[in-house]
Amino acid sequence: MSDRPGYRTVERPALTLADRLVFPAILKGMAITASHIFEKKVTMQYPEEKWTLPEYYRGVPSLVMDDENREKCVACSLCEFVCPPRAITIVPEERPGGGREEKQPAVFDIDMLRCIFCGYCEEVCPEEAIFMSKEYEVVGRSREEMVFHKDRLYEIGGVRKDPHRKWKNADDEARAQGRGHGHGPAQV
Amino acid sequence: MTTWPSWQPEVLSFLPAWLWKVICIFLVLQMPPILVSLLVWAERRVSAWIQDRVGPNRVGPFGLLQSVADLVKFVFKEDVVPGQVNRVLYSVAPALAMVPGLVTFSLLPFAERFMVSDLDSGLLMLFAISSLAVYGIQIGGWASNSKYALIGGVRASAQIISYELTLGLAAAVVVLFTGSLNLAEMVRWQSETRILGLLPAWTIFVFPGGTVAFVIFITSAFAETNRLPFDMPEAESELAAGYHVEYSSMKFALFFLGEYAAMIVMSGLMTTLFLGGWSLFGLERVMEGTIWQTLIQTGIWWAKTLFFLFVFIWIRWTLPRFRYDQLMRLGWKVFLPLSLANLLVAAWMRTWGMWGASA
Ligand code: SF4
Ligand code: SF4
């Protein structure tokens, strides 16, 4: 049956006496395990030693401020809508003093028990106000504690240098065009 | 009362014999718990080292107190008694599994003048008691009223009964050589007889009878104590945890304690029967009769026993589990004929002299 085209018989190596006695193989195995006793250990002593996280790491989502310590979020609620497990709760309010930004979040909560660290919120945000941080040690003693409020989210996010300087450029543009507001689509 | 040989170190000879015995009993009683906790720690550390990990190293120096932490955890865990069990047998089983391990400690000769009981039928007694452990396992498996536990218990009894035969036949070789069932007497023979006039006649060196008997004995000891590669009764990948699957809290800990105590006793027995017990190339005769001699001998005995315990752990993390039919075939078709033949060879050696070692 093995002479069928495309088939090749593989000879099983016959067991030698040493193989049958098993003990030589056992001793060989023991030598291998014993050599590992003296090998360098791969364990990372966690709380003292930590991973260096890659740039693309998705930790706790956090809110960031721009270079001028301004709240970037304009409470557009896009992230709230896109969030698959509905972890985000936003209550918008009018931004006092007016200016380019009309709204700001009065309440911005992320329930870390719900968050799945998918990063959609970071992706969808038109203001680049929400970023996945590298923080991953999320602990709490109660469910309430696991809901991160705005202040905590800013604390984690901190200030983020904005390479686009979107608003500044928009300001300049608007000024050049003789319009007052640079924020949002041009109003005719 | 005076039937006890009043073997006691000279410094302590002012003590009446019975008081020395009481002291021995007290000291020996401390051994199992301390050693078991040390062993559990060693098991975890060595397994970690073999797998290139570090192992428990946080609780106490080198993680030595890890077992204490484990024990505290066991004590405070909820003792769940499942509804379907036979309550009486269910509670008795862990004790039955543990007691033989502790009792057999009293039969081990740690040093010439440091042992609890110096019985002339010591070896028989030891086998008689240690084989009772199978009741604990079997009853535990039965009383749990769960299929995994039952299969585990049945496997355990089948395995232990099969390997007890070869274990006994291997030990019989030592009895043949030494001409005694008294464990201390066996050690004395091994330390005093010489092979070819120089090597001490530790049974393992008495080739071929003793060496083969040792190989059979150590393999059967693995099967007896349900250790990998023969841990069929537990076989976590097939039976969840085997006979103790329904147990929790301290009841589980007792099974655990019994298993490890049995391991220590088996190692101690190997030391005593095959490796010359407390003797080490004449070191055991230094400072004859003093308390130091007793200490040295105890140290030698424990060093050898700890080595065997290390081998137990080492093997566990080296070999995969045998299949059940392989285990049975090995026991009945290979080891039983082999040990019978070996007994015959040993008898011939005994009759015609063994490397000049016949006493
Ligand atoms: S990372 Fe995903 S789950 Fe978490 S808040 Fe953002 S969108 Fe929601
Ligand atoms: S974080 Fe971004 S997407 Fe979410 S509400 Fe604020 S501006 Fe909108």
Side-chain angles (χ1 to χ4, degrees):
Chain A
M1 69 182 207
S2 58
D3 50 1
R4 275 198 290 165
Y7 285 80
R8 189 166 59 89
T9 313
V10 180
E11 282 301 323
R12 272 177 192 275
L15 291 179
T16 61
L17 183 66
D19 291 337
R20 279 173 193 281
L21 279 178
V22 177
F23 282 97
I26 290 177
L27 292 180
K28 209 164 120 193
M30 286 172 80
I32 290 172
T33 40
S35 75
H36 275 271
I37 290 181
F38 305 104
E39 208 115 294
K40 195 178 171 316
K41 305 301 170 211
V42 295
T43 304
M44 180 174 271
Q45 300 286 349
Y46 163 61
E48 291 90 25
E49 291 176 59
K50 285 186 179 170
W51 292 100
T52 40
L53 297 169
E55 206 34 58
Y56 48 79
Y57 187 82
R58 299 203 303 264
V60 172
S62 64
L63 290 172
V64 298
M65 311 222 192
D66 71 359
D67 317 10
E68 289 142 50
N69 278 337
R70 242 179 341 192
E71 186 169 38
K72 288 174 89 179
C73 174
V74 293
C76 73
S77 290
L78 276 179
C79 52
E80 188 178 7
F81 289 134
V82 83
C83 178
R86 310 241 159 154
I88 304 178
T89 311
I90 298 171
V91 177
E93 66 180 2
E94 200 173 327
R95 191 171 287 234
R100 295 163 305 210
E101 313 92 341
E102 290 158 8
K103 287 197 290 181
Q104 66 182 27
V107 173
F108 196 116
D109 291 347
I110 303 183
D111 187 344
M112 292 305 170
L113 289 175
R114 287 188 154 216
C115 176
I116 55 171
F117 303 91
C118 62
Y120 281 10
C121 48
E122 172 179 339
E123 217 168 296
V124 80
C125 179
E127 303 294 331
E128 300 196 350
I130 187 162
F131 278 92
M132 304 304 282
S133 69
K134 288 190 180 175
E135 182 70 39
Y136 54 85
E137 288 162 325
V138 191
V139 288
R141 284 170 193 278
S142 62
R143 284 171 180 275
E144 289 70 42
E145 227 176 283
M146 292 299 283
V147 178
F148 285 19
H149 300 301
K150 202 167 89 171
D151 45 351
R152 181 107 182 253
L153 292 172
Y154 272 118
E155 198 183 298
I156 298 170
V159 172
R160 189 153 178 129
K161 281 262 182 268
D162 185 354
H164 309 305
R165 310 192 59 81
K166 188 166 92 176
W167 288 355
K168 189 169 180 300
N169 293 344
D171 276 350
D172 294 348
E173 208 179 295
R175 224 167 282 127
Q177 292 177 6
R179 281 190 278 106
H181 293 286
H183 186 49
Q187 291 144 10
V188 184
Chain B
M1 220 181 263
T2 44
T3 50
W4 290 320
S6 65
W7 283 108
Q8 57 197 74
E10 253 163 34
V11 198
L12 303 173
S13 58
F14 63 90
L15 292 175
W18 64 269
L19 191 56
W20 174 237
K21 284 291 158 193
V22 170
I23 293 172
C24 283
I25 289 169
F26 177 77
L27 290 176
V28 170
L29 257 183
Q30 310 308 312
M31 284 177 183
I34 293 173
L35 267 147
V36 168
S37 59
L38 203 68
L39 204 56
V40 173
W41 170 82
E43 176 101 53
R44 298 172 67 177
R45 279 316 282 262
V46 172
S47 70
W49 289 335
I50 284 176
Q51 296 165 350
D52 293 345
R53 296 183 287 113
V54 172
N57 62 347
R58 297 282 161 147
V59 193
F62 307 108
L64 268 170
L65 297 179
Q66 183 66 42
S67 314
V68 179
D70 288 346
L71 187 71
V72 170
K73 189 196 79 174
F74 272 130
V75 170
F76 284 106
K77 265 201 165 173
E78 188 188 352
D79 189 3
V80 183
V81 180
Q84 80 278 16
V85 303
N86 180 329
R87 281 177 170 271
V88 178
L89 293 181
Y90 180 86
S91 323
V92 169
L96 276 182
M98 178 203 60
V99 165
L102 299 190
V103 171
T104 37
F105 254 82
S106 68
L107 294 160
L108 296 174
F110 302 102
E112 207 160 12
R113 291 151 197 242
F114 177 40
M115 61 189 102
V116 173
S117 52
D118 188 15
L119 293 180
D120 278 338
S121 56
L123 186 65
L124 276 184
M125 188 75 180
L126 205 144
F127 278 136
I129 295 173
S130 67
S131 54
L132 289 179
V134 71
Y135 283 103
I137 293 174
Q138 176 67 64
I139 289 175
W142 176 259
S144 295
N145 196 1
S146 133
K147 59 187 169 201
Y148 292 133
L150 181 61
I151 295 173
V154 169
R155 279 184 178 191
S157 42
Q159 175 177 332
I160 291 180
I161 290 167
S162 315
Y163 277 86
E164 207 132 75
L165 276 176
T166 47
L167 201 71
L169 286 173
V173 170
V174 188
V175 178
L176 257 184
F177 286 168
T178 59
S180 171
L181 277 169
N182 183 326
L183 291 169
E185 215 35 70
M186 288 177 177
V187 176
R188 234 166 270 138
W189 182 87
Q190 291 180 53
S191 72
E192 279 157 19
T193 321
R194 289 274 175 280
I195 303 176
L196 301 175
L198 44 99
L199 203 60
W202 294 357
T203 319
I204 186 173
F205 296 146
V206 184
F207 192 81
T211 317
V212 174
F214 172 73
V215 172
I216 294 172
F217 194 94
I218 192 169
T219 318
S220 309
F222 275 95
E224 269 301 277
T225 48
N226 305 326
R227 286 287 293 186
L228 262 156
F230 303 127
D231 71 335
M232 244 51 63
E234 298 181 29
E236 56 270 35
S237 47
E238 306 160 28
L239 298 181
Y243 59 87
H244 54 54
V245 67
E246 303 287 352
Y247 284 89
S248 52
S249 180
M250 265 328 266
K251 290 204 184 85
F252 171 74
L254 288 187
F255 272 121
F256 216 65
L257 188 69
E259 198 182 311
Y260 277 87
M263 221 167 102
I264 299 169
V265 170
M266 275 298 158
S267 306
L269 203 55
M270 280 190 270
T271 305
T272 310
L273 295 182
F274 295 99
L275 229 63
W278 62 66
S279 66
L280 187 77
F281 308 112
L283 190 62
E284 75 276 11
R285 287 278 156 263
V286 177
M287 290 183 276
E288 184 76 46
T290 60
I291 190 118
W292 298 112
Q293 188 202 23
T294 303
L295 284 177
I296 289 171
Q297 287 183 349
T298 313
I300 293 171
W301 195 89
W302 273 117
K304 289 174 179 175
T305 303
L306 289 178
F307 169 74
F308 277 122
L309 288 171
F310 177 76
V311 172
F312 264 98
I313 296 172
W314 186 5
I315 292 267
R316 171 167 181 187
W317 299 100
T318 302
L319 298 180
R321 185 178 304 122
F322 275 56
R323 229 169 40 217
Y324 194 61
D325 60 311
Q326 290 172 330
L327 171 82
M328 280 301 164
R329 197 175 59 210
L330 185 73
W332 288 101
K333 288 192 175 168
V334 181
F335 274 4
L336 188 59
L338 185 66
S339 51
L340 281 170
N342 186 50
L343 193 62
L344 209 61
V345 171
W348 281 329
M349 287 174 73
R350 176 75 183 153
T351 329
W352 296 329
M354 32 194 168
W355 312 109
S358 59

